[in-house]
Each structure stands twice: as C-alpha cells, then as structure tokens.
Amino acid sequence: MKKILTLFAVVGLIAFTSCEGPEGPPGRDGVNVVGEVFELKNISFGYNVEDGYNIYEELTPTIVESDVILIYRLTGTINSNTPIWQQIPRTLYTSRGELDYDFDFSKQDFTIYAGGNYDLSLTPEFLNNQTFRIVIVPGDFSTTSKSVNKPDYSDYDAVIKKYNIDDSNVKQLN
C-alpha cells in the first residue's frame, strides 16, 4: 500500500509541476521606466511680442507620450548643500504686483513663462539668472501607483524620493 501511495504522489507531483498556465499579456519592448532631472542654471527669460517672457528648450531625446514634466524654480538656499525648490506654476506677490511663473510641455519640448499684471522689466531679479529643475516622471508610475501613495508634488525632495530618481548628477540643459 505504501508503494502505491508513493507512486501516486510522484505521478501527481510530476503532473502538477509540468502544468503551464495561459500566456500573459505582452509587455512593452525597450521601455526603461526611469525618471530624470535636468537643470537650467542661471538662465534669463527672453521676450517676444507673441508670448511675452519665456524660456524655450527642446527635449533630446523626446519623452514618452505618457510621461509628465514637473518644473521647480530655485528660490534660495538654506546652506551650500540645501537648495530651496518651489514648484511652478506659482504666483509671486511683489511690491509692484503679481508675477506668475507657468509652463507647458510636449514630448519634444517645454516652455517656461513669466507674466504679470505690471511691467516685468521693472523686476529683473525675477527674470534674469534663474535656475530651474525639470523632473521627468515616467507615466508608467501612474498605472501602478495608488492615489494615496502619490507624493506631495510641490515638494521636490518627496518627488525625487518617491520615484527613485537619481539627482546626484543633474544634466545641464544650457
């Protein structure tokens, strides 16, 4: 009787371990889900009649359609190793009026705008020698992340940590 049970156990073990389930859905080839950080350092806004004050940059290589760009402006430092990044869009309230930073992007480029309800040339400190960090967040994260686990996007460090983005060697765009 023991030999028959052992035989059934061995046959059953072989039968179950050789089974194969249905094939899963195909994955995307060659997609590397990695966020990146770029920096525009000490850049000044240009002016044109159609768009006002702006900074235009092309993305090389282009980003994937589902990726998202976040942009942060350097507003100061706590010490030489601790910059203070402020997410844009942002409205600043100056003694002359309101100044707005905003941006738009496509998979090929992005533009940062400065506008306001006064003549911005009167406050060159907000237009000249500005530093921006451009964070590319891969769209693949949005399909796996639950909304309760999303970072505070206004906090640059929280975004970098959440998406495991290495910003120790930021690429300069200008």
Side-chain angles (χ1 to χ4, degrees):
M1 182 76 167
K2 278 185 165 182
K3 289 184 181 182
I4 292 175
L5 285 175
T6 304
L7 179 63
F8 281 133
V10 170
V11 170
L13 182 64
I14 291 170
F16 284 118
T17 58
S18 64
C19 291
E20 188 174 313
E23 188 175 327
R28 295 194 313 185
D29 292 333
V31 175
N32 191 8
V33 182
V34 176
E36 293 182 85
V37 179
F38 298 97
E39 187 169 273
L40 293 168
K41 192 169 188 160
N42 297 322
I43 192 165
S44 297
F45 283 85
Y47 181 82
N48 69 56
V49 177
E50 294 171 9
D51 298 324
Y53 289 97
N54 68 76
I55 298 167
Y56 171 83
E57 291 287 331
E58 290 184 2
L59 293 168
T60 343
T62 61
I63 61 174
V64 178
E65 192 73 38
S66 60
D67 289 352
V68 175
I69 290 181
L70 302 172
I71 299 183
Y72 299 85
R73 178 178 162 264
L74 181 66
T75 61
T77 57
I78 294 173
N79 58 46
S80 61
N81 295 322
T82 312
I84 302 168
W85 297 104
Q86 186 177 69
Q87 185 184 25
I88 63 173
R90 172 69 65 187
T91 299
L92 302 179
Y93 301 96
T94 72
S95 60
R96 300 208 181 256
E98 294 178 11
L99 179 141
D100 296 306
Y101 291 108
D102 202 352
F103 73 99
D104 62 31
F105 72 94
S106 72
K107 65 182 197 170
Q108 291 103 5
D109 58 28
F110 66 90
T111 305
I112 303 171
Y113 300 95
N117 61 5
Y118 67 96
D119 180 2
L120 297 185
S121 67
L122 299 173
T123 52
E125 65 272 21
F126 295 112
L127 300 174
N128 300 328
N129 301 316
Q130 299 295 304
T131 298
F132 295 93
R133 285 263 171 108
I134 295 82
V135 179
I136 299 175
V137 178
D140 286 4
F141 284 121
S142 66
T143 62
T144 59
S145 298
K146 293 187 170 36
S147 61
V148 294
N149 294 331
K150 293 192 178 181
D152 174 4
Y153 289 109
S154 67
D155 183 347
Y156 172 82
D157 293 318
V159 170
I160 296 303
K161 182 178 178 183
K162 170 64 179 174
Y163 297 115
N164 295 319
I165 298 172
D166 179 11
D167 72 339
S168 61
N169 191 15
V170 175
K171 298 172 190 135
Q172 298 295 317
L173 289 179
N174 56 336

